[in-house]
Amino acid sequence: MIGYTTIGSKNLDNAVSFYDALLTLVGGKRVMEMDRIKFYGTETGGAMLAVCTPHNNEEQSCGNGQQVAIPGGSIEGAQALYSKAIELGATDAGEPGQRFDFFYGSYVYDLDGNKLCFFHMT
């Protein structure tokens, strides 16, 4: 249902380093890129996460209530994504744990303050 989601960055080089290292844990890689935007996915034509500098050249900002959720594939995978993100400089927004009977998740803010969730449906 989702083609791609775009999040903004104040420093695209830092964001690219962060997402290059983080998304390899779930088989993600850059599948398409231009000067101001990089698309990550597991295959061309599948759902993607794009990181970009704002088109209007104004300051990047994060939306209150916005979040990108990335499946870990398992509880261990969700934990590994959280740990890697923290290692890469992300800020904790909720340590890994069982949130509901059916949902295991954790939360971080990336280097630009975009909120990410790493989860597994249990």
Side-chain angles (χ1 to χ4, degrees):
M1 185 173 89
I2 295 175
Y4 65 93
T5 298
T6 303
I7 56 176
S9 177
K10 297 173 182 115
N11 184 319
L12 192 57
D13 290 337
N14 285 347
V16 166
S17 293
F18 179 86
Y19 284 101
D20 279 355
L22 179 67
L23 296 178
T24 60
L25 296 179
V26 290
K29 62 182 182 225
R30 277 187 264 164
V31 294
M32 184 171 44
E33 58 186 297
M34 290 160 260
D35 289 343
R36 56 169 284 280
I37 190 165
K38 313 299 179 194
F39 291 85
Y40 292 87
T42 55
E43 61 185 66
T44 303
M48 295 179 287
L49 172 64
V51 181
C52 69
T53 55
H55 188 270
N56 62 5
N57 294 319
E58 292 185 17
E59 185 73 13
Q60 173 269 352
S61 63
C62 303
N64 188 21
Q66 292 179 323
Q67 164 180 284
V68 175
I70 299 170
S74 65
I75 288 174
E76 296 78 16
Q79 290 170 335
L81 284 164
Y82 172 86
S83 295
K84 185 67 171 181
I86 295 296
E87 175 188 317
L88 293 168
T91 304
D92 172 60
E95 292 185 355
Q98 196 74 37
R99 306 289 188 218
F100 305 101
D101 291 342
F102 56 88
F103 183 84
Y104 182 93
S106 62
Y107 304 87
V108 301
Y109 292 106
D110 74 2
L111 305 179
D112 290 294
N114 296 298
K115 191 171 184 184
L116 306 174
C117 171
F118 307 121
F119 74 98
H120 180 66
M121 301 303 283
T122 57

